[in-house]
Amino acid sequence: MERVQVLIAGGGIAGLSAAIWCERLGLSCVLVEKGDRLGGQLSDIHNQIWDFPPRVYPDGAALLDELLAHRSIRALRPRLGEALRSVDLDEHLVHTDKAVYRADYLIIATGVRPNRIPALAGCSRVLPPWFSTTSQGTAVAGQDVAVIGGGDRAVESACNLLPHVRSLYLLVRSDRLRARPQWVERLHPHPSLHVLWETVVSGCQEQNGKAVLTLDSPRPGTPQTLVVDWVLPRIGVRGNIDGLGQLPALEGGYLQADVNQQVGADWVYAIGDVANGAAYASLSLAVGQAMKAVKHISLQVPSP
């Protein structure tokens, strides 16, 4: 068992920012990251980042390169390939899949993962969650694509793909779009756009290099099957909180943090997307929460 002052779980921008603030405020920390690299979802951002002042970055990889060059991160020695598994709130014990830590403080920055559609499991015609309709839309040019979802990302994806594809099918589970008005307004009627309301995918087969989707819908006229070249699920994300069932969570699997980013106990904190949910996910907020959590920890540590 290893004793640590601050254990940070997650190597995305929230966790890395927390590590920087630990150095700034004289706290020792250990950072564990379940993946084989740092950066979290930054590498999956293929569009321009212009809302993280003061710089404008061409994509997430450019921001990550600059972040990894920070002196605190270069000296960090993160433990990659090590995932958070459980927390013993009474004993201050944190279990990963490789070790047990007795931590004075724990900062959970484990981020989110895409929701999955079971019917699409194993289908090779499903585009990955990190597919960028902004920079990679030409990859599906002249083909038929089904976008699944009715929120911001689904409607944004549909808008981005319409100039390229032959047919765009937007499959919406509800009878209305959940996307913000500015995205809905951009989704103008288009000869290639087909919106299927109150429709869910209940099955998927592959035939001749295409996906044959089985559709369920109470609406008359909705086809029972749909044949497309590619399927792009955009049905939201949920927090990475596996094994943390004893901590208070909100709908969607996000940890419920208080004003100081504490969650469930006075030594446990949650920052970044795992505490923010999709509606407030942002790089700026994640960085600010990292500062807030570490600053609050520093105020609890007795002076030497």
Side-chain angles (χ1 to χ4, degrees):
M1 184 185 302
E2 182 177 353
R3 177 71 179 267
V4 298
Q5 188 173 31
V6 180
L7 181 66
I8 303 170
I13 194 168
L16 293 175
S17 298
I20 292 172
W21 275 96
C22 281
E23 181 186 353
R24 171 71 175 82
L25 298 174
L27 303 172
S28 63
C29 71
V30 170
L31 185 145
V32 298
E33 160 57 43
K34 70 176 181 179
D36 58 1
R37 59 178 174 81
L38 295 175
Q41 299 179 78
L42 284 176
S43 297
D44 299 330
I45 300 176
H46 301 285
N47 54 280
Q48 186 184 77
I49 301 173
W50 56 269
D51 56 356
F52 187 62
R55 291 195 52 187
V56 175
Y57 297 89
D59 51 30
L63 193 161
L64 178 57
D65 286 344
E66 192 167 298
L67 180 58
L68 295 180
H70 192 285
R71 68 173 195 183
S72 298
I73 305 306
R74 293 202 311 268
L76 183 59
R77 303 294 182 267
R79 301 178 183 184
L80 302 177
E82 186 169 349
L84 179 64
R85 287 291 179 247
S86 65
V87 179
D88 185 327
L89 296 179
D90 295 326
E91 299 297 328
H92 280 239
L93 296 181
V94 181
H95 296 256
T96 71
D97 54 3
K98 291 186 176 180
V100 179
Y101 300 89
R102 185 178 295 278
D104 294 340
Y105 299 95
L106 168 66
I107 297 178
I108 301 171
T110 48
V112 295
R113 65 177 181 271
N115 289 322
R116 305 290 184 181
I117 299 175
L120 298 179
C123 179
S124 67
R125 307 308 296 177
V126 178
L127 292 167
W130 53 86
F131 180 82
S132 171
T133 57
T134 302
S135 63
Q136 298 174 293
T138 56
V140 295
Q143 301 183 67
D144 301 322
V145 178
V147 176
I148 305 175
D152 285 353
R153 289 203 71 203
V155 176
E156 178 185 5
S157 297
C159 291
N160 291 340
L161 291 177
L162 273 172
H164 306 291
V165 300
R166 178 172 56 189
S167 295
L168 191 290
Y169 298 90
L170 183 60
L171 280 53
V172 185
R173 186 184 187 94
S174 178
D175 61 354
R176 62 179 60 87
L177 296 172
R178 295 181 291 103
R180 289 173 290 180
Q182 53 264 47
W183 282 117
V184 176
E185 292 169 3
R186 284 188 55 185
L187 195 66
H188 299 299
H190 191 286
S192 300
L193 175 63
H194 311 275
V195 182
L196 303 181
W197 302 102
E198 297 181 274
T199 300
V200 298
V201 177
S202 59
C204 180
Q205 294 182 334
E206 294 184 53
Q207 295 181 4
N208 302 319
K210 294 181 180 289
V212 182
L213 304 178
T214 302
L215 306 181
D216 289 342
S217 175
R219 290 214 171 193
T222 302
Q224 294 183 332
T225 59
L226 180 65
V227 181
V228 294
D229 295 289
W230 297 101
V231 184
L232 180 59
R234 290 292 200 236
I235 57 171
V237 296
R238 64 186 300 105
N240 285 320
I241 60 171
D242 293 345
L244 304 177
Q246 74 274 45
L247 298 178
L250 301 169
E251 183 179 358
Y254 304 110
L255 293 176
Q256 186 174 7
D258 66 13
V259 67
N260 296 312
Q261 303 304 135
Q262 291 179 309
V263 53
D266 60 4
W267 64 281
V268 180
Y269 295 75
I271 61 175
D273 288 354
V274 72
N276 296 333
Y280 290 96
S282 76
L283 300 175
S284 299
L285 183 57
V287 172
Q289 289 175 335
M291 181 282 296
K292 194 173 191 179
V294 178
K295 180 70 171 179
H296 191 261
I297 290 172
S298 72
L299 296 174
Q300 317 308 311
V301 175
S303 301

